Amino acid sequence: MPSEFEEQSNWSLRGARIWLSASIPTAPEAEDDVRASMASFVEDFATLIFKHGGHIVHGSHPTITPILAKVAKRFISSGRRKDILILATSRYFSEHPDSFAHRYSDSALVEETPAATGDSAKQRSLQILRDWMLSRADAFIALGGKNWDNGKPHRGVPAELRLALDRHLPCFILGGLGGALREYLDEHPELIHSLRNGLTYERNRDLALSRNVARLAAAVVEQLGRLPLVRGSGTSGSTFRILALDGGGIKGAFTAAVLAKWEEQTGLKVDE
């Protein structure tokens, strides 16, 4: 018998893996309403992603993981598999079974990446972790982060956003809720032109600056459901996008017209 979540869902994101790159600022100067808004968004967003059959991949940040695990546990208790939430961590940070991420092994699939050694081990371990998440993500959501420090461009949510953009993943920037992402977006407004998520510049700018938590979660999940995301097992490895076309003459003209319309609606290029 279907659970209450399955009955209400159209499963538009079945098998899609969404990388949520996020952290909630914890510095004393961070405003309470900013922290509360981010936490509320994460809960609403995770609920909708899981409800529609998707998976969330997250780098086990301590301000975000408890929220995701709480939502995942509700769905798992109704019959869903643990891999709806994939918590990635580096062995550099989790050398023992009782490490932070492993505390949530009852409500998530915990995956460890190798730790680097030698000089710059921490930074290289983080890069290995980020590459692992990148290779398994079908779309990318950026939220929050510690206060932006332009002297440290390779850290946190902005660094992961750059990786996702370079990989040409569909991306969503939610800077209106605050944190490093808002400061980074103020310095680099051109990023909104590069999101490849099928929305217009104006619509993306509206979402990037919005502080309406419920509206943001619903709008992002709705658009994710419209995109041609790779649908695969949450535990599988790298994803590939393969399109095979055949036919000449009128069939070829029809195919070209369909592809042109697809590019128009998604903002993606078939030759990339």
Side-chain angles (χ1 to χ4, degrees):
M1 193 171 175
S3 70
E4 58 176 303
F5 302 115
E6 292 171 330
E7 288 174 345
Q8 296 172 13
S9 172
N10 60 14
W11 288 77
S12 59
L13 291 172
R14 187 177 190 124
R17 290 160 295 187
I18 313 302
W19 179 4
L20 176 62
S21 175
S23 66
I24 298 175
T26 57
E29 61 269 21
E31 298 177 3
D32 289 341
D33 63 331
V34 168
R35 288 192 284 260
S37 293
M38 289 186 188
S40 180
F41 172 84
V42 171
E43 183 166 356
D44 289 354
F45 180 74
T47 299
L48 289 171
I49 292 292
F50 298 152
K51 176 181 175 182
H52 293 295
H55 305 255
I56 289 179
V57 180
H58 178 65
S60 303
H61 196 277
T63 62
I64 300 294
T65 297
I67 305 170
L68 293 176
K70 180 182 74 172
V71 178
K73 202 164 189 176
R74 287 167 40 212
F75 283 82
I76 292 167
S77 67
S78 296
R80 297 287 295 280
R81 290 172 27 165
K82 282 202 303 183
D83 68 352
I84 58 172
L85 174 59
I86 303 169
L87 295 176
T89 185
S90 170
R91 233 170 252 125
Y92 182 91
F93 303 104
S94 61
E95 301 234 325
H96 304 288
D98 60 349
S99 67
F100 175 78
H102 285 283
R103 297 177 202 170
Y104 298 95
S105 59
D106 62 335
S107 51
L109 179 68
V110 179
E111 295 279 2
E112 285 190 337
T113 58
T117 58
D119 295 340
S120 304
K122 180 178 179 180
Q123 190 58 44
R124 289 190 293 115
S125 295
L126 279 171
Q127 188 60 48
I128 293 170
L129 174 63
R130 288 167 175 164
D131 287 343
W132 188 94
M133 291 188 286
L134 182 65
S135 70
R136 286 155 177 80
D138 300 317
F140 179 88
I141 313 297
L143 172 74
K146 294 181 179 179
N147 290 335
W148 171 239
D149 182 347
N150 200 34
K152 300 176 181 178
H154 301 297
R155 295 187 182 180
V157 176
E160 293 176 356
L161 171 61
R162 282 292 185 183
L163 286 175
L165 290 172
D166 289 345
R167 178 67 181 268
H168 295 169
L169 287 180
C171 296
F172 294 82
I173 298 177
L174 308 180
L177 298 183
L181 194 61
R182 177 55 191 263
E183 298 172 68
Y184 188 56
L185 186 58
D186 286 343
E187 291 183 14
H188 299 280
E190 74 279 0
L191 292 173
I192 298 177
H193 288 286
S194 307
L195 300 183
R196 299 173 182 269
N197 60 22
L199 296 176
T200 64
Y201 170 83
E202 291 74 17
R203 181 65 171 141
N204 270 315
R205 187 175 184 279
D206 180 47
L207 290 178
L209 300 177
S210 176
R211 301 192 66 177
N212 187 321
V213 171
R215 175 175 168 269
L216 273 175
V220 171
V221 172
E222 181 180 7
Q223 184 61 17
L224 284 169
R226 294 185 179 129
L227 293 173
L229 301 179
V230 172
R231 306 291 195 251
S233 167
T235 57
S236 62
S238 299
T239 60
F240 299 88
R241 293 163 171 81
I242 300 174
L243 177 63
L245 302 172
D246 189 20
I250 189 64
K251 290 182 179 179
F254 175 76
T255 297
V258 170
L259 290 176
K261 189 65 176 178
W262 182 82
E263 288 184 342
E264 177 187 335
Q265 291 184 345
T266 66
L268 304 174
K269 293 290 186 181
V270 297
D271 58 350
E272 294 181 344

